[in-house]
Amino acid sequence: MARKVSDFFWERLHAWGVRRVFGYPGDGVNGLLGGLQRFGTDKIGFVQVRHEEMAAFMASAHSKFTGEVGVCLATSGPGATHLLTGMYDAAGDHVPMLAIAGHTVRPAIGGHYQQEVDLMTAFKDVAGAFVQQATVPAQMRHLVDRAMRTAMGERRVTALIIPNDLSEESYEDPPHAHGTIHSGVGWTPPRVIPRDEDLRRAAAVLNEGKRVAILVGAGALGAVPELEAVADRLGAGAAKALLGKDVLPDDLPWVTGTIGLLGTRPSWNLMQECDTLLMVGSSFPWSEFLPKEGQARGVQIDLQPAMLSLRYPMEVPLTGDAAETLRALLPLLEAKEDGSWRERIAADNQEWHELLEKRARAEADPINPQLPFQELSPRLPDGVILTSDSGSCVNWYARNLRMRRGMRGSLSGSLASMGAAVPYAFAAKMAHPDRPVIAMLGDGAMQMNNMAELITVAQHWRSWSNPTWICIVLNNQDLNEVTWEQRVMEGMPKFLDTQRLPDFPYHRFAELAGLRGIFVDDPAKVGEALDQALASDRPVVLEFRTDPNVAPLPPHTQVQQASHLVSALLHDPERGQVILDTARQVMSAVLPGRKD
């Protein structure tokens, strides 16, 4: 049999290190799938999902949890456009991805043919670093090479569009002739370090600071020893952007947890009181949670120059790899002798953790949504991988779960898309079948698109060496994050027509899929249910009936926000319970805690 374009395609991706692709079949990629079948799924595994958007989310998560290029595949037309949300997720969080899309057969292109979409235009924004449509066999070699090298080297989303009839054509390497391209496989990351004079300027700023604050993001994940050494040398405190939650362990007394609207009060205080800011590998978006302009001198380290001095005007912006740059910076730093700054941070942390415990145990109807997270935190297994969806659950993921060394966690960060928790958790488990994985989400995200991927979990879980895979669902019959945003940001009462969700037994759906389902509506049984889920011999959907009226209080309340909430509650259909629950949360700061 003659070697086809589709045969070469998978051979080339395998040479680049691709071992798994997430996707959904269709006639626009039948030629490619035929090539994969011949190549062998023992070499590149194909994971069939329930929806192409989930394939792209899984590819994004695979990249985050492995460091490899995540690869997803979809057919022409609607299959390809379904990939876009997950592609934007990867682009927003600066992780490498290759999206492969089928296309109309070449003779029909431009003829308003069935499922014909101008995919070059559709993909151009999200995959602008490299998006190409193949037209002849000789292109395939350099298109695959450039797509993979660009994704790896620039940490970008790339896309290849392959007409189905092209996949079936014979393949030969291009001849040694004018007008041909002869590309090769391979890329390794360079050693990127700022110039010596810039490192000295940065060290001078940091050495002169008396109250140094560090903000870390996902770009610092490979620089943990260096971060800790620099922080100790400077006597600094460190806050974490949401995507950097797993960078530093929370049992270090100088680590204040997450920052921002979903962050902690110690992180807010750290930024308000520091005189020097060191920002490492973060594109944290909300400048109002950073020091006021002019309050602190700034040093920033980032591989991407476009991200430098973007959120805060930095005195010394450094383009460089986080670990390499911190390693070069460390010998230039002077040890701080005064330990009072760190003592203040540690005391602030202790007070905050006591407050979280009291808030989580405040009475609610029926379960305080903070309680499952507070109970889960000390029970988290070593090496666990956590995923969270967008919505009010991310508040409790960000604040109540304390990361230990070796744990991982992620979510849709910059895009903040709903519907990512379950596909993220599934992809994490496929990449690390020996590690426990826990997804956390609300009922809105579960209804949107997460439920269907439980079928995918049911299809694959028996191949995992460790069966611990838990999906925690907060069932409050409310699109809770938006409800609170309407109240606090817009001064709107709860709009029942847009916010109310139909009730559904998610735990029973899990049982229908052959998984285990656990339902809890009694706060006294939360811990027991978590223990059962962690000990289960198969994946679990753990459904908690939670109170939608427990406010996700920000670390710092602005006068305008408080005014909006008061205005909204004048006409809110649930104002009585909201007022009662909010009072319990506020009073938990001054009243003794209650242990169940």
Side-chain angles (χ1 to χ4, degrees):
M1 179 186 294
R3 187 187 190 199
K4 296 182 178 181
V5 168
S6 57
D7 298 316
F8 172 81
F9 179 79
W10 296 110
E11 291 168 10
R12 200 68 169 184
L13 282 180
H14 188 269
W16 274 99
V18 173
R19 298 295 182 268
R20 179 174 294 120
V21 57
F22 302 93
Y24 202 80
D27 61 0
V29 288
N30 277 343
L32 284 178
L33 295 178
L36 179 58
Q37 186 177 39
R38 291 188 296 273
F39 184 65
T41 53
D42 58 327
K43 299 174 185 174
I44 296 181
F46 181 82
V47 179
Q48 183 203 84
V49 300
R50 312 277 67 79
H51 191 285
E52 294 92 350
E53 182 178 320
M54 301 296 98
F57 275 136
M58 290 175 190
S60 179
H62 178 89
S63 183
K64 290 182 178 183
F65 292 126
T66 67
E68 301 169 354
V69 176
V71 181
C72 55
L73 177 145
T75 190
S76 55
T81 58
H82 283 163
L83 293 175
L84 281 167
T85 300
M87 293 169 68
Y88 274 104
D89 176 60
D93 291 347
H94 307 287
V95 297
M97 176 194 287
L98 170 61
I100 305 161
H103 197 31
T104 305
V105 294
R106 287 169 294 170
I109 292 175
H112 192 62
Y113 201 68
Q114 185 181 33
Q115 293 194 335
E116 182 181 357
V117 172
D118 183 356
L119 293 178
M120 284 286 290
T121 299
F123 286 163
K124 191 64 178 179
D125 180 52
V126 67
F130 189 81
V131 52
Q132 290 292 331
Q133 179 175 308
T135 57
V136 295
Q139 286 180 285
M140 195 56 66
R141 175 171 157 182
H142 68 262
L143 291 186
V144 172
D145 291 347
R146 290 199 69 205
M148 290 297 293
R149 190 173 286 110
T150 302
M152 288 178 171
E154 299 184 21
R155 300 188 63 82
R156 299 281 294 275
V157 174
T158 60
L160 291 178
I161 303 158
I162 304 173
N164 190 46
D165 61 320
L166 177 62
S167 302
E168 298 291 344
E169 288 203 8
S170 297
Y171 178 81
E172 291 182 1
D173 283 329
H176 188 69
H178 181 71
T180 60
I181 304 294
H182 300 264
S183 60
V185 172
W187 179 84
T188 54
R191 189 179 182 212
V192 183
I193 307 176
R195 296 183 303 177
D196 289 345
E197 54 266 39
D198 292 327
L199 289 168
R200 288 193 292 270
R201 287 198 302 125
V205 171
L206 296 170
N207 286 334
E208 291 172 15
K210 299 188 183 307
R211 299 183 304 279
V212 180
I214 302 175
L215 174 59
V216 301
L221 190 60
V224 175
E226 293 82 2
L227 268 173
E228 293 182 3
V230 166
D232 286 339
R233 183 73 56 87
L234 295 173
K240 300 183 288 187
L242 194 54
L243 283 173
K245 181 174 172 64
D246 57 353
V247 172
L248 292 171
D250 288 307
D251 51 11
L252 295 172
W254 48 270
V255 174
T256 60
T258 51
I259 188 176
L261 193 63
L262 315 175
T264 72
R265 188 176 297 167
S267 291
W268 168 265
N269 293 340
L270 179 76
M271 292 297 155
Q272 298 310 301
E273 298 173 13
C274 71
D275 62 13
T276 309
L277 174 64
L278 171 60
M279 194 167 168
V280 184
S282 175
S283 58
F284 174 74
W286 297 321
S287 297
E288 67 268 28
F289 289 92
L290 298 177
K292 292 183 176 64
E293 189 170 345
Q295 168 196 320
R297 302 175 73 185
V299 174
Q300 185 179 359
I301 301 169
D302 205 290
L303 258 180
Q304 298 190 359
M307 302 309 299
L308 290 171
S309 212
L310 182 63
R311 313 301 187 196
Y312 190 83
M314 296 293 174
E315 188 171 337
V316 187
L318 300 173
T319 300
D321 171 81
E324 295 281 4
T325 303
L326 290 170
R327 201 176 299 133
L329 192 58
L330 184 62
L332 305 176
L333 300 178
E334 301 167 359
K336 308 287 186 190
E337 296 182 0
D338 183 1
S340 59
W341 175 234
R342 274 197 163 181
E343 290 172 4
R344 187 189 315 178
I345 293 167
D348 207 9
N349 271 333
Q350 181 62 35
E351 182 180 333
W352 172 252
H353 292 309
E354 291 172 359
L355 175 59
L356 285 180
E357 177 73 12
K358 293 176 182 179
R359 284 182 175 177
R361 298 190 183 280
E363 187 177 346
D365 182 22
I367 295 177
N368 186 324
Q370 297 161 99
L371 183 60
F373 293 81
Q374 192 72 10
E375 289 279 3
L376 174 62
S377 189
R379 291 176 165 86
L380 288 172
D382 290 340
V384 71
I385 301 175
L386 305 172
T387 71
S388 173
D389 219 288
S390 296
S392 61
C393 71
V394 79
N395 290 274
W396 324 128
Y397 162 79
R399 294 176 184 165
N400 295 78
L401 295 184
R402 300 181 68 180
M403 305 294 284
R404 301 193 305 274
R405 204 175 299 276
M407 294 179 178
R408 293 296 315 277
S410 196
L411 72 171
S412 177
S414 294
L415 191 64
S417 175
M418 288 178 67
V422 170
Y424 263 46
F426 173 77
K429 194 67 171 182
M430 293 298 288
H432 303 285
D434 58 327
R435 298 178 68 167
V437 175
I438 302 175
M440 293 150 279
L441 61 156
D443 47 354
M446 193 65 170
Q447 290 182 15
M448 180 178 282
N449 52 19
N450 280 275
M451 284 174 61
E453 292 309 321
L454 294 179
I455 301 171
T456 312
V457 172
Q459 181 184 6
H460 289 273
W461 75 267
R462 289 175 179 82
S463 67
W464 301 336
S465 55
N466 178 339
T468 303
W469 188 95
I470 302 170
C471 176
I472 294 176
V473 183
L474 305 184
N475 183 351
N476 57 22
Q477 299 167 58
D478 182 48
L479 290 171
N480 201 235
E481 182 76 5
V482 176
T483 294
W484 282 103
E485 287 172 347
Q486 289 175 346
R487 286 168 173 159
V488 174
M489 296 182 179
E490 307 296 334
M492 289 173 54
K494 182 173 179 176
F495 187 7
L496 292 177
D497 288 353
T498 69
Q499 301 311 108
R500 181 187 289 156
L501 287 169
D503 192 14
F504 185 86
Y506 307 100
H507 65 291
R508 290 176 59 190
F509 182 88
E511 292 168 351
L512 286 173
L515 310 178
R516 185 174 182 188
I518 301 174
F519 177 77
V520 187
D521 60 0
D522 181 351
K525 297 181 179 179
V526 168
E528 176 187 347
L530 288 166
D531 290 336
Q532 291 175 6
L534 288 165
S536 176
D537 64 351
R538 66 189 59 207
V540 177
V541 170
L542 178 50
E543 179 183 351
F544 292 105
R545 179 79 73 177
T546 57
D547 189 339
N549 295 313
V550 174
L553 298 174
H556 172 74
T557 302
Q558 299 177 354
V559 173
Q560 186 179 37
Q561 293 172 335
S563 175
H564 282 165
L565 180 59
V566 171
S567 176
L569 291 182
L570 291 175
H571 305 286
D572 198 283
E574 297 172 355
R575 58 185 175 275
Q577 191 62 44
V578 172
I579 293 170
L580 181 59
D581 283 347
T582 303
R584 288 168 176 158
Q585 291 296 296
V586 173
M587 292 304 292
S588 64
V590 295
L591 296 177
R594 175 176 62 84
K595 297 280 187 180
D596 290 329

